[in-house]
Coordinates of all heavy atoms in Angstrom, one line a residue:
M1 N 11.8 54.6 -46.9 CA 12.5 55.4 -47.9 C 13.3 56.4 -47.2 O 12.9 57.0 -46.2 CB 11.4 56.0 -48.8 CG 12.1 56.8 -49.9 SD 11.0 57.3 -51.2 CE 10.9 55.8 -52.2
A2 N 14.5 56.7 -47.7 CA 15.5 57.6 -47.1 C 15.0 59.0 -47.4 O 14.5 59.4 -48.5 CB 16.8 57.4 -47.7
T3 N 15.3 59.9 -46.5 CA 15.0 61.3 -46.6 C 16.2 62.0 -47.4 O 17.2 61.4 -47.6 CB 14.8 62.0 -45.3 OG1 16.1 62.0 -44.6 CG2 13.8 61.3 -44.4
V4 N 15.9 63.2 -47.8 CA 16.9 64.0 -48.6 C 18.1 64.2 -47.7 O 19.3 64.1 -48.1 CB 16.3 65.3 -49.1 CG1 17.4 66.2 -49.7 CG2 15.2 65.0 -50.1
T5 N 17.9 64.5 -46.4 CA 19.0 64.7 -45.5 C 19.9 63.5 -45.3 O 21.1 63.6 -45.3 CB 18.4 65.1 -44.1 OG1 17.5 66.2 -44.3 CG2 19.5 65.5 -43.1
E6 N 19.2 62.3 -45.2 CA 20.0 61.1 -45.1 C 20.8 60.8 -46.4 O 21.9 60.4 -46.3 CB 19.0 59.9 -44.8 CG 18.4 59.9 -43.4 CD 17.3 58.9 -43.3 OE1 16.7 58.5 -44.3 OE2 17.1 58.5 -42.1
L7 N 20.2 61.0 -47.5 CA 20.9 60.8 -48.8 C 22.1 61.8 -48.9 O 23.2 61.4 -49.4 CB 20.0 61.0 -50.0 CG 18.9 60.0 -50.2 CD1 17.9 60.4 -51.3 CD2 19.6 58.6 -50.5
K8 N 21.9 63.0 -48.5 CA 23.1 64.0 -48.5 C 24.2 63.5 -47.6 O 25.4 63.6 -47.9 CB 22.6 65.4 -48.0 CG 21.8 66.1 -49.0 CD 21.4 67.5 -48.4 CE 20.6 68.3 -49.3 NZ 20.2 69.6 -48.8
A9 N 23.8 63.0 -46.4 CA 24.8 62.5 -45.4 C 25.6 61.3 -46.0 O 26.8 61.2 -45.9 CB 24.2 62.1 -44.1
V10 N 24.9 60.4 -46.6 CA 25.5 59.2 -47.2 C 26.4 59.6 -48.4 O 27.6 59.1 -48.5 CB 24.5 58.2 -47.7 CG1 25.1 57.1 -48.5 CG2 23.8 57.6 -46.5
L11 N 26.0 60.5 -49.2 CA 26.7 61.0 -50.4 C 28.0 61.7 -49.9 O 29.1 61.5 -50.4 CB 25.9 62.0 -51.2 CG 26.6 62.5 -52.4 CD1 27.1 61.4 -53.4 CD2 25.7 63.5 -53.2
K12 N 27.9 62.5 -48.9 CA 29.0 63.3 -48.3 C 30.1 62.3 -47.7 O 31.3 62.4 -48.0 CB 28.6 64.2 -47.2 CG 29.7 65.0 -46.6 CD 29.3 66.0 -45.5 CE 30.4 66.7 -44.9 NZ 30.1 67.4 -43.7
D13 N 29.6 61.3 -47.0 CA 30.5 60.3 -46.4 C 31.2 59.5 -47.5 O 32.4 59.2 -47.4 CB 29.7 59.3 -45.5 CG 29.3 59.9 -44.2 OD1 29.8 61.0 -43.8 OD2 28.4 59.4 -43.6
T14 N 30.5 59.1 -48.5 CA 31.1 58.4 -49.6 C 32.2 59.2 -50.4 O 33.2 58.7 -50.6 CB 30.0 57.9 -50.7 OG1 29.0 57.2 -50.0 CG2 30.6 57.1 -51.8
L15 N 31.8 60.5 -50.6 CA 32.8 61.3 -51.3 C 34.0 61.6 -50.4 O 35.2 61.6 -51.0 CB 32.2 62.6 -51.7 CG 31.1 62.6 -52.8 CD1 30.5 63.9 -53.0 CD2 31.7 62.0 -54.1
E16 N 33.9 61.7 -49.1 CA 35.0 61.9 -48.2 C 35.9 60.6 -48.2 O 37.1 60.7 -48.2 CB 34.5 62.2 -46.8 CG 34.1 63.7 -46.7 CD 33.6 64.0 -45.3 OE1 33.4 63.1 -44.5 OE2 33.5 65.2 -45.0
K17 N 35.3 59.5 -48.1 CA 36.0 58.2 -48.1 C 36.8 58.0 -49.3 O 37.9 57.5 -49.3 CB 35.1 57.0 -47.8 CG 34.6 56.9 -46.4 CD 33.6 55.8 -46.3 CE 33.0 55.8 -44.9 NZ 31.9 54.8 -44.8
R18 N 36.3 58.4 -50.5 CA 37.0 58.3 -51.7 C 38.0 59.4 -52.0 O 38.8 59.3 -53.0 CB 36.0 58.2 -52.9 CG 35.1 57.0 -52.9 CD 34.2 57.0 -54.1 NE 33.4 55.8 -54.1 CZ 32.4 55.6 -55.0 NH1 32.2 56.5 -55.9 NH2 31.7 54.5 -54.9
G19 N 38.0 60.4 -51.2 CA 39.0 61.5 -51.3 C 38.5 62.5 -52.3 O 39.3 63.5 -52.6
V20 N 37.4 62.4 -52.9 CA 36.9 63.3 -53.9 C 36.5 64.6 -53.3 O 36.8 65.7 -53.8 CB 35.6 62.7 -54.6 CG1 35.0 63.7 -55.6 CG2 36.0 61.4 -55.3
L21 N 36.0 64.6 -52.1 CA 35.6 65.9 -51.5 C 36.8 66.7 -51.1 O 36.8 67.9 -51.4 CB 34.7 65.6 -50.2 CG 33.8 66.7 -49.7 CD1 32.9 67.1 -50.8 CD2 33.0 66.2 -48.5
G22 N 37.8 66.1 -50.6 CA 39.1 66.8 -50.3 C 39.7 67.4 -51.6 O 40.1 68.6 -51.6
H23 N 39.6 66.7 -52.7 CA 40.1 67.1 -54.0 C 39.3 68.3 -54.5 O 39.9 69.3 -54.9 CB 40.1 66.0 -55.0 CG 40.5 66.5 -56.4 ND1 41.7 66.8 -56.7 CD2 39.7 66.6 -57.5 CE1 41.8 67.2 -58.0 NE2 40.6 67.1 -58.5
L24 N 38.0 68.2 -54.4 CA 37.2 69.4 -54.8 C 37.4 70.6 -54.0 O 37.5 71.7 -54.5 CB 35.7 69.0 -54.7 CG 35.2 67.9 -55.8 CD1 33.8 67.5 -55.5 CD2 35.4 68.5 -57.2
R25 N 37.6 70.4 -52.7 CA 37.8 71.6 -51.8 C 39.2 72.2 -52.2 O 39.2 73.5 -52.2 CB 37.8 71.2 -50.3 CG 36.5 70.9 -49.8 CD 36.6 70.4 -48.3 NE 35.2 70.1 -47.8 CZ 35.0 69.2 -46.9 NH1 36.0 68.5 -46.5 NH2 33.7 69.0 -46.5
A26 N 40.2 71.4 -52.4 CA 41.5 72.0 -52.7 C 41.5 72.7 -54.1 O 42.0 73.7 -54.3 CB 42.5 70.9 -52.7
R27 N 40.7 72.1 -55.0 CA 40.6 72.7 -56.4 C 39.9 74.0 -56.3 O 40.3 75.0 -56.9 CB 39.9 71.7 -57.3 CG 39.8 72.1 -58.7 CD 41.1 71.8 -59.4 NE 40.9 72.2 -60.8 CZ 41.8 72.8 -61.5 NH1 43.0 73.1 -60.9 NH2 41.6 73.2 -62.7
I28 N 38.8 74.0 -55.6 CA 38.0 75.3 -55.4 C 38.9 76.4 -54.7 O 39.0 77.5 -55.2 CB 36.7 75.1 -54.6 CG1 35.8 74.3 -55.5 CG2 36.1 76.4 -54.2 CD1 34.5 73.8 -54.7
R29 N 39.6 76.0 -53.7 CA 40.5 76.9 -53.0 C 41.6 77.4 -54.0 O 41.9 78.6 -54.0 CB 41.2 76.2 -51.8 CG 41.8 77.1 -50.8 CD 42.4 76.3 -49.6 NE 41.4 75.4 -49.0 CZ 41.4 74.1 -48.8 NH1 42.5 73.5 -49.3 NH2 40.4 73.5 -48.2
A30 N 42.2 76.6 -54.8 CA 43.2 77.0 -55.7 C 42.6 78.0 -56.8 O 43.2 79.0 -57.1 CB 43.8 75.8 -56.4
E31 N 41.4 77.7 -57.2 CA 40.8 78.5 -58.2 C 40.4 79.9 -57.6 O 40.5 80.9 -58.3 CB 39.5 77.8 -58.8 CG 39.9 76.7 -59.7 CD 40.7 77.0 -60.9 OE1 40.6 78.2 -61.4 OE2 41.5 76.2 -61.3
V32 N 40.0 79.9 -56.4 CA 39.7 81.2 -55.7 C 40.9 82.0 -55.6 O 40.9 83.2 -55.9 CB 39.0 81.0 -54.3 CG1 39.0 82.2 -53.5 CG2 37.6 80.4 -54.5
F33 N 42.0 81.4 -55.2 CA 43.3 82.2 -55.1 C 43.8 82.6 -56.5 O 44.3 83.7 -56.6 CB 44.4 81.3 -54.4 CG 44.2 81.3 -53.0 CD1 44.0 80.1 -52.3 CD2 44.4 82.4 -52.2 CE1 43.8 80.0 -51.0 CE2 44.2 82.4 -50.8 CZ 44.0 81.2 -50.2
N34 N 43.6 81.8 -57.5 CA 43.9 82.2 -58.9 C 43.1 83.4 -59.3 O 43.6 84.3 -60.0 CB 43.8 81.1 -59.9 CG 44.9 80.1 -59.8 OD1 46.0 80.4 -59.3 ND2 44.7 78.9 -60.2
A35 N 41.8 83.4 -59.0 CA 40.9 84.5 -59.4 C 41.3 85.8 -58.6 O 41.2 86.9 -59.2 CB 39.5 84.1 -59.1
L36 N 41.7 85.6 -57.4 CA 42.1 86.8 -56.6 C 43.5 87.3 -56.9 O 43.8 88.5 -56.6 CB 42.0 86.5 -55.1 CG 40.6 86.2 -54.6 CD1 40.7 85.8 -53.1 CD2 39.7 87.4 -54.8
D37 N 44.3 86.5 -57.5 CA 45.7 86.8 -57.8 C 45.7 88.0 -58.8 O 45.1 88.0 -59.9 CB 46.4 85.6 -58.4 CG 47.9 85.8 -58.4 OD1 48.4 86.7 -57.7 OD2 48.6 85.1 -59.1
D38 N 46.5 89.0 -58.5 CA 46.6 90.2 -59.3 C 47.7 90.0 -60.3 O 48.9 90.0 -60.0 CB 47.0 91.4 -58.5 CG 47.1 92.7 -59.3 OD1 46.7 92.7 -60.4 OD2 47.6 93.7 -58.7
E39 N 47.3 89.7 -61.6 CA 48.3 89.3 -62.6 C 49.0 90.6 -63.2 O 49.9 90.4 -64.0 CB 47.6 88.5 -63.7 CG 47.2 87.1 -63.1 CD 46.7 86.2 -64.2 OE1 47.1 86.4 -65.4 OE2 46.0 85.3 -63.9
S40 N 48.5 91.8 -62.9 CA 49.1 93.0 -63.4 C 50.5 93.2 -62.7 O 51.3 93.9 -63.3 CB 48.2 94.2 -63.2 OG 48.0 94.5 -61.8
E41 N 50.6 92.7 -61.5 CA 51.9 92.8 -60.8 C 52.5 91.4 -60.7 O 52.0 90.6 -59.9 CB 51.7 93.4 -59.4 CG 52.9 93.6 -58.6 CD 52.6 94.2 -57.3 OE1 51.7 95.0 -57.2 OE2 53.4 93.9 -56.4
P42 N 53.6 91.1 -61.5 CA 54.2 89.8 -61.4 C 54.8 89.5 -60.1 O 55.3 90.4 -59.4 CB 55.2 89.8 -62.5 CG 55.5 91.3 -62.7 CD 54.3 92.0 -62.4
P43 N 54.8 88.3 -59.6 CA 55.4 87.9 -58.4 C 56.9 88.1 -58.5 O 57.5 87.9 -59.6 CB 55.0 86.5 -58.1 CG 54.7 85.9 -59.5 CD 54.2 87.1 -60.3
P44 N 57.6 88.3 -57.4 CA 59.1 88.4 -57.4 C 59.7 87.1 -57.8 O 59.1 86.0 -57.4 CB 59.5 88.9 -56.0 CG 58.3 88.5 -55.2 CD 57.1 88.5 -56.0
P45 N 60.8 87.1 -58.4 CA 61.4 85.8 -58.7 C 61.9 85.1 -57.5 O 62.3 85.7 -56.5 CB 62.6 86.2 -59.6 CG 62.9 87.6 -59.3 CD 61.6 88.2 -58.9
L46 N 61.8 83.8 -57.5 CA 62.2 83.0 -56.3 C 63.7 82.9 -56.3 O 64.4 82.6 -57.3 CB 61.6 81.6 -56.4 CG 60.2 81.5 -56.1 CD1 59.7 80.0 -56.3 CD2 59.8 81.9 -54.6
S47 N 64.3 83.0 -55.1 CA 65.8 82.8 -55.0 C 66.0 81.3 -55.1 O 65.0 80.5 -54.9 CB 66.3 83.3 -53.7 OG 65.8 82.5 -52.6
H48 N 67.2 80.9 -55.4 CA 67.5 79.4 -55.5 C 67.2 78.7 -54.2 O 66.7 77.6 -54.2 CB 69.0 79.3 -55.9 CG 69.3 77.9 -56.2 ND1 68.9 77.2 -57.3 CD2 70.1 77.0 -55.5 CE1 69.3 76.0 -57.3 NE2 70.1 75.8 -56.2
E49 N 67.5 79.4 -53.1 CA 67.3 78.7 -51.8 C 65.8 78.5 -51.5 O 65.3 77.5 -51.1 CB 67.8 79.6 -50.6 CG 69.3 79.6 -50.6 CD 69.9 80.6 -51.6 OE1 69.2 81.5 -52.2 OE2 71.2 80.6 -51.8
N50 N 65.0 79.5 -51.8 CA 63.5 79.4 -51.6 C 62.9 78.4 -52.6 O 62.0 77.7 -52.2 CB 62.8 80.8 -51.8 CG 63.0 81.7 -50.6 OD1 63.5 81.2 -49.6 ND2 62.6 82.9 -50.8
L51 N 63.4 78.3 -53.8 CA 63.0 77.3 -54.7 C 63.2 75.9 -54.2 O 62.4 75.0 -54.3 CB 63.7 77.5 -56.1 CG 63.2 76.7 -57.2 CD1 61.7 77.0 -57.5 CD2 64.0 77.0 -58.5
L52 N 64.4 75.7 -53.6 CA 64.8 74.4 -53.1 C 63.9 74.1 -51.9 O 63.4 72.9 -51.7 CB 66.2 74.3 -52.7 CG 67.2 74.3 -53.8 CD1 68.6 74.4 -53.2 CD2 67.1 73.0 -54.6
I53 N 63.6 75.1 -51.0 CA 62.7 74.8 -49.9 C 61.3 74.5 -50.4 O 60.7 73.5 -49.9 CB 62.7 76.1 -49.0 CG1 64.0 76.3 -48.3 CG2 61.5 76.0 -48.0 CD1 64.2 77.6 -47.6
N54 N 60.8 75.2 -51.4 CA 59.5 74.8 -51.9 C 59.5 73.4 -52.5 O 58.5 72.7 -52.3 CB 59.1 75.8 -53.0 CG 58.7 77.2 -52.5 OD1 58.5 77.3 -51.3 ND2 58.5 78.1 -53.3
E55 N 60.5 73.0 -53.2 CA 60.6 71.7 -53.7 C 60.6 70.6 -52.6 O 60.0 69.6 -52.7 CB 61.8 71.5 -54.6 CG 61.7 72.1 -56.0 CD 60.7 71.3 -56.8 OE1 60.6 70.1 -56.7 OE2 60.0 72.0 -57.6
L56 N 61.3 70.9 -51.5 CA 61.3 70.0 -50.4 C 59.9 69.9 -49.8 O 59.5 68.7 -49.4 CB 62.3 70.4 -49.3 CG 63.8 70.3 -49.7 CD1 64.7 71.0 -48.7 CD2 64.2 68.8 -49.8
I57 N 59.3 71.0 -49.6 CA 57.9 70.9 -49.1 C 57.0 70.1 -50.0 O 56.2 69.3 -49.6 CB 57.4 72.4 -48.9 CG1 58.2 73.1 -47.8 CG2 55.9 72.4 -48.6 CD1 57.9 74.5 -47.7
R58 N 57.1 70.4 -51.3 CA 56.3 69.6 -52.3 C 56.6 68.1 -52.2 O 55.6 67.3 -52.2 CB 56.6 70.1 -53.7 CG 55.7 69.4 -54.8 CD 56.2 69.7 -56.2 NE 57.5 69.3 -56.4 CZ 57.9 68.0 -56.6 NH1 57.0 67.1 -56.6 NH2 59.2 67.7 -56.8
E59 N 57.8 67.8 -52.1 CA 58.2 66.3 -52.0 C 57.6 65.7 -50.7 O 57.1 64.6 -50.7 CB 59.7 66.1 -52.1 CG 60.3 66.3 -53.5 CD 61.8 66.0 -53.5 OE1 62.3 65.4 -52.6 OE2 62.4 66.5 -54.4
Y60 N 57.7 66.5 -49.6 CA 57.1 66.0 -48.4 C 55.6 65.8 -48.5 O 55.1 64.7 -48.1 CB 57.4 67.0 -47.3 CG 56.6 66.8 -46.0 CD1 56.9 65.8 -45.1 CD2 55.4 67.5 -45.8 CE1 56.2 65.6 -44.0 CE2 54.6 67.3 -44.7 CZ 55.0 66.4 -43.8 OH 54.2 66.1 -42.7
L61 N 54.9 66.7 -49.1 CA 53.5 66.6 -49.3 C 53.1 65.4 -50.1 O 52.2 64.6 -49.8 CB 52.9 67.9 -49.9 CG 53.0 69.1 -49.0 CD1 52.6 70.4 -49.8 CD2 52.1 69.0 -47.7
E62 N 53.8 65.2 -51.2 CA 53.5 64.1 -52.1 C 53.9 62.8 -51.5 O 53.2 61.8 -51.6 CB 54.2 64.3 -53.4 CG 53.6 65.4 -54.2 CD 54.3 65.6 -55.6 OE1 55.3 64.9 -55.9 OE2 53.8 66.5 -56.3
F63 N 55.0 62.7 -50.7 CA 55.4 61.5 -50.0 C 54.4 61.0 -49.0 O 54.1 59.9 -48.9 CB 56.8 61.7 -49.3 CG 57.2 60.5 -48.6 CD1 57.8 59.4 -49.2 CD2 57.0 60.4 -47.2 CE1 58.3 58.3 -48.5 CE2 57.5 59.3 -46.5 CZ 58.1 58.2 -47.1
N64 N 53.8 62.0 -48.3 CA 52.8 61.7 -47.3 C 51.4 61.7 -47.9 O 50.4 61.7 -47.1 CB 52.9 62.7 -46.2 CG 54.1 62.4 -45.3 OD1 54.2 61.4 -44.7 ND2 55.1 63.3 -45.4
K65 N 51.2 61.7 -49.2 CA 50.0 61.6 -49.9 C 49.0 62.8 -49.7 O 47.8 62.6 -49.7 CB 49.2 60.3 -49.5 CG 50.0 59.0 -49.6 CD 50.3 58.7 -51.1 CE 50.9 57.3 -51.2 NZ 52.2 57.3 -51.7
Y66 N 49.6 64.0 -49.5 CA 48.9 65.2 -49.4 C 48.8 65.8 -50.8 O 49.2 66.9 -51.0 CB 49.5 66.2 -48.4 CG 49.5 65.7 -47.0 CD1 50.7 65.7 -46.3 CD2 48.4 65.2 -46.3 CE1 50.8 65.3 -44.9 CE2 48.4 64.8 -45.0 CZ 49.6 64.8 -44.3 OH 49.7 64.4 -43.0
K67 N 48.3 65.0 -51.8 CA 48.4 65.5 -53.1 C 47.6 66.7 -53.4 O 47.9 67.5 -54.3 CB 48.1 64.3 -54.1 CG 46.7 63.7 -53.9 CD 46.6 62.5 -54.8 CE 45.3 61.7 -54.4 NZ 45.1 60.6 -55.2
Y68 N 46.5 66.9 -52.7 CA 45.6 68.1 -53.0 C 46.3 69.3 -52.4 O 46.3 70.4 -53.0 CB 44.2 67.9 -52.4 CG 43.7 66.6 -52.9 CD1 43.2 65.6 -52.0 CD2 43.5 66.3 -54.2 CE1 42.7 64.4 -52.4 CE2 43.0 65.1 -54.7 CZ 42.6 64.1 -53.7 OH 42.1 62.9 -54.2
T69 N 46.9 69.2 -51.2 CA 47.7 70.3 -50.7 C 48.8 70.7 -51.6 O 49.1 71.8 -51.8 CB 48.1 70.0 -49.3 OG1 47.0 69.6 -48.5 CG2 48.8 71.2 -48.6
A70 N 49.5 69.6 -52.1 CA 50.6 69.9 -53.0 C 50.1 70.6 -54.3 O 50.9 71.4 -54.8 CB 51.3 68.5 -53.4
S71 N 48.9 70.3 -54.8 CA 48.4 70.9 -56.0 C 48.2 72.4 -55.7 O 48.4 73.2 -56.6 CB 47.2 70.2 -56.5 OG 46.1 70.5 -55.6
V72 N 47.8 72.7 -54.5 CA 47.6 74.2 -54.2 C 48.9 74.9 -54.1 O 49.1 76.0 -54.6 CB 46.8 74.3 -52.8 CG1 46.8 75.8 -52.4 CG2 45.4 73.8 -53.0
L73 N 49.9 74.2 -53.5 CA 51.3 74.8 -53.5 C 51.8 75.0 -54.9 O 52.4 76.0 -55.2 CB 52.3 73.8 -52.8 CG 53.7 74.3 -52.8 CD1 53.9 75.6 -52.0 CD2 54.6 73.2 -52.2
M74 N 51.6 74.0 -55.8 CA 52.0 74.1 -57.2 C 51.3 75.3 -57.9 O 52.0 76.1 -58.6 CB 51.8 72.8 -58.0 CG 52.6 71.7 -57.5 SD 54.3 71.9 -57.8 CE 54.3 71.9 -59.6
A75 N 50.0 75.4 -57.6 CA 49.3 76.5 -58.3 C 49.7 77.9 -57.7 O 49.8 78.9 -58.4 CB 47.8 76.4 -58.1
D76 N 50.1 77.9 -56.5 CA 50.4 79.2 -55.8 C 51.9 79.6 -56.0 O 52.2 80.8 -56.3 CB 50.1 79.1 -54.3 CG 50.2 80.5 -53.6 OD1 49.8 81.4 -54.3 OD2 50.7 80.5 -52.5
G77 N 52.8 78.7 -55.8 CA 54.2 79.1 -55.8 C 55.1 78.5 -56.9 O 55.9 79.1 -57.6
L78 N 55.0 77.1 -57.0 CA 55.9 76.4 -57.9 C 55.5 76.5 -59.3 O 56.2 76.2 -60.2 CB 56.1 75.0 -57.5 CG 56.8 74.8 -56.1 CD1 56.8 73.3 -55.8 CD2 58.2 75.3 -56.2
G79 N 54.3 76.9 -59.6 CA 53.7 77.0 -60.9 C 54.1 78.2 -61.7 O 53.6 78.5 -62.7
R80 N 55.0 79.0 -61.1 CA 55.4 80.3 -61.8 C 56.1 80.0 -63.1 O 56.9 79.1 -63.2 CB 56.3 81.1 -60.9 CG 55.6 81.6 -59.6 CD 56.6 82.4 -58.8 NE 56.0 82.7 -57.5 CZ 56.6 83.4 -56.6 NH1 57.8 83.7 -56.7 NH2 56.0 83.7 -55.5
K81 N 55.8 80.8 -64.1 CA 56.4 80.6 -65.4 C 57.7 81.4 -65.4 O 57.9 82.4 -64.7 CB 55.5 81.2 -66.4 CG 54.2 80.4 -66.6 CD 53.4 80.9 -67.7 CE 52.2 80.0 -67.9 NZ 51.0 80.4 -67.2
G82 N 58.6 80.9 -66.2 CA 59.9 81.6 -66.4 C 60.9 81.2 -65.4 O 60.9 80.1 -64.8
K83 N 61.8 82.1 -65.1 CA 62.9 81.9 -64.1 C 62.3 81.6 -62.7 O 61.4 82.3 -62.3 CB 63.8 83.0 -64.1 CG 65.1 82.7 -63.4 CD 66.2 83.8 -63.8 CE 67.5 83.5 -63.1 NZ 68.2 82.4 -63.7
G84 N 62.8 80.6 -62.1 CA 62.4 80.4 -60.7 C 61.3 79.3 -60.7 O 60.6 79.2 -59.7
T85 N 61.3 78.4 -61.7 CA 60.4 77.3 -61.6 C 61.1 76.0 -61.2 O 62.3 76.0 -61.2 CB 59.7 77.0 -62.9 OG1 60.6 76.7 -63.9 CG2 58.9 78.2 -63.4
S86 N 60.4 75.0 -60.9 CA 61.0 73.8 -60.4 C 61.8 73.1 -61.6 O 62.7 72.3 -61.3 CB 60.0 72.8 -59.9 OG 59.1 72.5 -60.9
A87 N 61.6 73.5 -62.8 CA 62.3 72.9 -63.9 C 63.8 73.4 -63.9 O 64.6 72.9 -64.6 CB 61.7 73.3 -65.2
D88 N 64.0 74.5 -63.2 CA 65.4 75.1 -63.1 C 66.3 74.3 -62.2 O 67.5 74.6 -62.1 CB 65.3 76.6 -62.7 CG 64.6 77.4 -63.7 OD1 64.6 77.1 -64.9 OD2 64.1 78.5 -63.3
I89 N 65.8 73.4 -61.4 CA 66.6 72.7 -60.4 C 67.1 71.4 -61.0 O 66.4 70.6 -61.7 CB 65.7 72.3 -59.2 CG1 65.2 73.6 -58.5 CG2 66.5 71.5 -58.2 CD1 64.3 73.3 -57.4
E90 N 68.4 71.2 -60.9 CA 69.0 70.0 -61.3 C 68.8 68.9 -60.2 O 68.8 69.2 -59.0 CB 70.5 70.2 -61.4 CG 70.9 71.1 -62.6 CD 72.4 71.2 -62.7 OE1 73.1 70.3 -62.2 OE2 72.9 72.2 -63.2
E91 N 68.5 67.7 -60.7 CA 68.2 66.6 -59.7 C 69.5 66.2 -59.1 O 70.5 65.8 -59.8 CB 67.6 65.4 -60.5 CG 66.2 65.7 -60.9 CD 65.2 65.7 -59.7 OE1 65.5 65.0 -58.7 OE2 64.3 66.5 -59.8
P92 N 69.6 66.3 -57.8 CA 70.8 65.8 -57.1 C 70.9 64.3 -57.0 O 69.8 63.7 -57.1 CB 70.7 66.4 -55.7 CG 69.2 66.5 -55.5 CD 68.6 66.8 -56.8
P93 N 72.1 63.7 -56.9 CA 72.1 62.3 -56.7 C 71.4 61.9 -55.4 O 71.5 62.6 -54.4 CB 73.6 62.0 -56.7 CG 74.3 63.3 -56.4 CD 73.4 64.4 -56.8
V94 N 70.7 60.8 -55.5 CA 69.9 60.3 -54.3 C 70.7 59.2 -53.7 O 71.1 58.2 -54.3 CB 68.5 59.9 -54.7 CG1 67.8 59.3 -53.6 CG2 67.8 61.0 -55.4
S95 N 70.8 59.3 -52.4 CA 71.5 58.2 -51.6 C 70.7 56.9 -51.6 O 69.5 57.0 -51.6 CB 71.7 58.7 -50.1 OG 71.9 57.6 -49.3
P96 N 71.3 55.8 -51.7 CA 70.6 54.5 -51.6 C 69.7 54.4 -50.4 O 68.7 53.8 -50.4 CB 71.7 53.4 -51.7 CG 72.9 54.1 -52.2 CD 72.8 55.6 -51.8
A97 N 70.1 55.0 -49.3 CA 69.3 54.9 -48.0 C 68.0 55.6 -48.2 O 67.0 55.3 -47.6 CB 70.1 55.5 -46.9
V98 N 68.0 56.7 -49.0 CA 66.8 57.5 -49.2 C 65.8 56.8 -50.2 O 64.6 56.9 -50.1 CB 67.1 58.9 -49.8 CG1 65.9 59.7 -50.1 CG2 68.0 59.6 -48.8
K99 N 66.3 55.9 -51.1 CA 65.5 55.3 -52.1 C 64.6 54.2 -51.5 O 63.7 53.7 -52.2 CB 66.4 54.7 -53.2 CG 67.0 55.7 -54.1 CD 67.8 55.0 -55.2 CE 68.4 56.1 -56.1 NZ 69.1 55.4 -57.1
R100 N 64.7 53.9 -50.2 CA 63.9 52.8 -49.7 C 62.5 52.9 -49.9 O 61.7 53.4 -50.1 CB 64.1 52.7 -48.2 CG 65.4 52.1 -47.8 CD 65.5 51.9 -46.3 NE 66.5 52.8 -45.8 CZ 66.6 53.1 -44.5 NH1 65.8 52.6 -43.7 NH2 67.6 53.9 -44.1

């Protein structure tokens, strides 16, 4: 019969292989930052250039399947309400070479 330590190890390995553990860690990290965020002082509005840079970083993360890291970025920077959100960006035309 398996010991509790062995069962914990198997469970941890299974959750890591399925990506669940990484998701949980990223979600906890995002929630900790949200709890620590001082909402009495609103963040400064993002400049158009910084907003584009953030969008490029988000696209890079999602392209490379870093979806949990991208979710932390969204919660931290791109998820701002009002002016300076990703919804303010017009989609540029995409080159056929990029669509591959």
Side-chain angles (χ1 to χ4, degrees):
M1 183 168 278
T3 66
V4 173
T5 306
E6 291 170 333
L7 289 174
K8 284 182 184 179
V10 169
L11 180 61
K12 181 182 176 188
D13 288 342
T14 302
L15 292 176
E16 281 179 349
K17 287 178 185 174
R18 292 183 180 174
V20 175
L21 202 54
H23 174 68
L24 290 173
R25 287 180 180 146
R27 185 80 178 137
I28 289 170
R29 195 175 305 120
E31 290 300 326
V32 167
F33 283 114
N34 283 338
L36 295 174
D37 194 18
D38 184 12
E39 294 189 21
S40 64
E41 183 178 328
L46 286 175
S47 69
H48 186 70
E49 291 82 10
N50 285 350
L51 187 60
L52 288 174
I53 291 168
N54 285 351
E55 281 291 325
L56 288 171
I57 293 169
R58 182 192 59 79
E59 285 183 20
Y60 165 81
L61 293 172
E62 289 181 357
F63 178 80
N64 288 293
K65 307 291 189 249
Y66 297 129
K67 56 186 172 182
Y68 308 122
T69 306
S71 71
V72 173
L73 175 65
M74 293 295 295
D76 190 37
L78 292 178
R80 294 183 185 174
K81 294 183 174 91
K83 194 162 180 77
T85 62
S86 60
D88 295 336
I89 297 177
E90 292 181 24
E91 287 291 326
V94 178
S95 163
V98 175
K99 289 184 180 182
R100 287 188 247 167

